[in-house]
DNA sequence: AGGTCTATGTCGTTT
DNA sequence: AAACGACGTAGACCT
């Protein structure tokens, strides 16, 4: 039934009790208040006082959201330990993790509202039009790459890593296929290049079945990527994602 | 003073009024409730019913958070248009944007709590230990790269893009420096490689001042990246970020 | 609006 | 735990 308990403009001491209980209970805890934020870990940051929403999750995530942006100004990843304390009469929320050693400290001047929700949520997101979907489509219909193309192996491993699709063209030449769900830049060409080079090094293809081909399959290419493709002698095949 | 107004278990019609007013007023709006979520745009997704926190920001961002993860299950970037409506007696929140055309639809079976905050926040995040900081450090003290190194140009542009630092070594040979604030993988070597190639192509360095050198400056390198560096004849210089 | 790159990227998967 | 790559990446900066 998802009980939700709310405190309005609680004293810092009452807020402390409520946060502690919410963390104990495994509740999703949302705090609206005026706060400063310090972070130290992989990098470090300071944020002056402002009105923000702080979200503490039972999995150890912490998020500090301002009134702008999709991305939190500050955060802590899942697996962190949240603790609350009152120091100098003000509420402090600290989230720590080790490896890497990182600490997020939120100091509230004022707490406007504190809410704890016992969230009931067992549904998982069903996401379509991913790169994996494109891979499956090509396995089902290799002609998407080109006439006569055959899939030999998916996620074939090499010293350069796993390539999306390894196959053969109509003449039996080895083909490395790199997939992207969106318009590709220079980085994707670099990736394809590393795989093709690895296949060339690892197997004596040149003499037996012809040189290794590289094919990039994506909705479109940027100009710089196109130039790189041409320079490396690779090809591009356009696909729609829907 | 950040007025915060809260509704507890409002009717869907009352929730509609409150959301609409909050969006009008430019408030940060947080909704706790049981909902399903549909997304269609660059990809598409469905999410079954569960208890979540939905955050609507005055800049047009929308976030749907479950009780797990740093990343929202679903979202809409800043610049989207939020609208609310009651259909079949239940509250629907829709966030749309064009270019790309994307729609997020949140349908509430139940609203546990609805909060609007007139957030006052003009402070910006001060972030340290970024790549830009490393760049400044090297401009101030080029010896970090190597003895006798001189910075010629920062963000020098080439047909392959802007390189972090372009300089000369003690013998006057051209050096392309690529910076990373953390341990680097194969992609960074590819980047360096593209810049070095561009410089080689664009200028007749080989004959006049010797071959173009490539140096990767970062805290550390992964094995695959190290192998690539060696193969391309590039060098690595280790730095601490603190 | 599109291209390119950084990020405390995060997240999943595999070694 | 480290490595590697995908992500509806987001965000910044530049053309």
């Amino acid at each position: 039934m998802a009980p939700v308990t709310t405190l309005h403009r609680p004293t810092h001491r009452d807020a402390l009790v409520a946060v502690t209980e919410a963390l104990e209970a495994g509740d999703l805890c949302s705090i609206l208040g005026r706060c400063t934020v310090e972070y130290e870990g992989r990098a470090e940051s300071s944020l002056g006082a402002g009105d923000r929403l702080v979200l503490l999750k039972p999995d150890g995530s912490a998020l500090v959201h301002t009134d702008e942006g999709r991305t939190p100004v500050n955060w802590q990843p899942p697996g962190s330990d949240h603790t609350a304390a009152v120091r100098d009469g003000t509420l402090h929320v600290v989230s720590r993790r080790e490896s890497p050693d990182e600490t997020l400290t939120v100091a509230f001047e004022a707490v406007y509202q504190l809410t704890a929700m016992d969230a009931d949520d067992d549904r998982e997101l069903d996401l379509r039009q991913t790169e994996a979907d494109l891979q499956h489509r090509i396995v089902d219909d290799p002609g998407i790459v080109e006439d006569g193309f055959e899939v030999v192996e998916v996620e074939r491993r090499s010293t350069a890593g796993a390539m999306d699709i390894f196959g053969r063209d109509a003449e039996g030449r080895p083909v490395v296929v790199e997939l992207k769900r969106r318009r590709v830049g220079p980085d994707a060409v670099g990736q394809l290049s590393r795989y093709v080079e690895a296949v060339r090094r690892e197997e004596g293809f040149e003499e037996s079945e012809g040189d290794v081909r590289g094919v990039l399959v994506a909705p479109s290419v940027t100009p710089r990527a196109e130039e790189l493709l041409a320079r490396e002698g690779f090809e591009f095949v356009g696909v729609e994602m829907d």
Side-chain angles (χ1 to χ4, degrees), chain A residues 165-178:
Chain A
I165 295 178
F166 178 74
R168 301 258 172 197
D169 67 14
E171 277 84 53
R173 279 183 298 183
V175 182
V176 176
V177 181
E178 173 64 28

Side-chain angles (χ1 to χ4, degrees), chain A residues 130-162:
Chain A
T130 63
E131 187 184 291
D133 294 336
L134 178 56
Q135 194 178 46
H136 298 147
R137 272 168 57 198
I138 291 177
V139 167
D140 289 348
D141 178 12
I144 291 172
V145 175
E146 71 183 15
D147 258 23
F149 177 72
E150 276 182 48
V151 174
V152 173
E153 195 179 346
V154 148
E155 301 298 335
R156 181 203 181 98
R157 322 243 238 78
S158 74
T159 53

